[in-house]
Amino acid sequence: MDDHILSNVTKYFRMERDETNLTDIPMKISDWNIDILNNLVKIRKIETDNFDFKSDYKDMSKHLCAFANYSFGQMILGMKPVKDKIGRTVGIKKRGFPKSESDNIRNEVNNAMSNVEPTPEVNLGYIHDRRRVFLVVQITGLICWEGRGYVTYA
């Protein structure tokens, strides 16, 4: 990732954390590990405009497009929302994917990228937890392309 973009993104994430009292969300794929994920799951309102937990890769093109239009975003695949009796999300539970599905999940994200124009820069990484794996999807993009934001054709 371009150092200038990373500098601006880092400033934005610091602002987000200051406003919502969030713990550090790693900016580099290589900094993610299961301990960090375990700590983030405990925070009730962790999801923001540029950080999200997803259960799977359904509607991935739309999510990639949305984060690219914010110029940066990260999502963790393999998380399950915990709902109360009336359907409100009250927490997040780690579900993960079997490690044997790692290549399939990566392929699904890559296929979803082909439905976004222009194609945003997407970095992928894995967080391993015993026999389960979680996918970190980091998206960077331009704010505008030919006078409009990113669009999806899915």
Side-chain angles (χ1 to χ4, degrees), residues 15-16 40 47 82 85 105 140 148:
M15 180 185 71
E16 277 292 320
L40 293 177
E47 295 177 306
V82 177
K85 291 180 182 180
I105 298 164
T140 57
R148 61 186 173 142

Side-chain angles (χ1 to χ4, degrees), residues 118-138:
T119 304
E121 180 180 332
V122 177
N123 296 305
L124 304 175
Y126 293 106
I127 301 171
H128 297 276
D129 185 21
R130 297 182 207 132
R131 291 178 293 228
R132 309 300 282 175
V133 67
F134 303 86
L135 185 67
V136 180
V137 181
Q138 186 180 74

Side-chain angles (χ1 to χ4, degrees), residues 16-152:
E16 277 292 320
R17 284 196 296 263
D18 291 344
E19 290 176 0
T20 58
N21 296 319
L22 299 181
T23 60
D24 285 338
I25 296 174
M27 298 301 296
K28 296 179 182 176
I29 293 284
S30 59
D31 291 342
W32 278 96
N33 62 52
I34 196 63
D35 294 329
I36 290 171
L37 182 60
N38 287 336
N39 287 332
L40 293 177
V41 168
K42 296 174 189 174
I43 300 171
R44 188 151 191 236
K45 294 186 179 187
I46 186 71
E47 295 177 306
T48 66
D49 289 337
N50 49 13
F51 181 77
D52 209 357
F53 289 129
K54 298 291 177 197
S55 59
D56 55 32
Y57 37 81
K58 290 180 184 172
D59 297 324
M60 182 56 58
S61 295
K62 292 178 186 176
H63 300 305
L64 292 171
C65 187
F67 281 140
N69 280 318
Y70 266 95
S71 80
F72 182 81
Q74 294 187 99
M75 64 183 108
I76 309 296
L77 303 182
M79 310 303 285
K80 180 180 178 182
V82 177
K83 307 254 182 196
D84 65 11
K85 291 180 182 180
I86 60 172
R88 292 180 299 196
T89 300
V90 294
I92 300 289
K93 181 179 179 181
K94 293 184 338 191
R95 183 179 59 97
F97 301 97
K99 286 187 179 182
S100 61
E101 289 185 30
S102 296
D103 288 339
N104 183 46
I105 298 164
R106 181 179 292 271
N107 290 339
E108 289 292 334
V109 173
N110 286 333
N111 289 339
M113 285 171 44
S114 68
N115 293 320
V116 178
E117 189 177 295
T119 304
E121 180 180 332
V122 177
N123 296 305
L124 304 175
Y126 293 106
I127 301 171
H128 297 276
D129 185 21
R130 297 182 207 132
R131 291 178 293 228
R132 309 300 282 175
V133 67
F134 303 86
L135 185 67
V136 180
V137 181
Q138 186 180 74
I139 303 97
T140 57
L142 305 171
I143 299 291
C144 194
W145 170 69
E146 293 183 3
R148 61 186 173 142
Y150 283 79
V151 293
T152 180

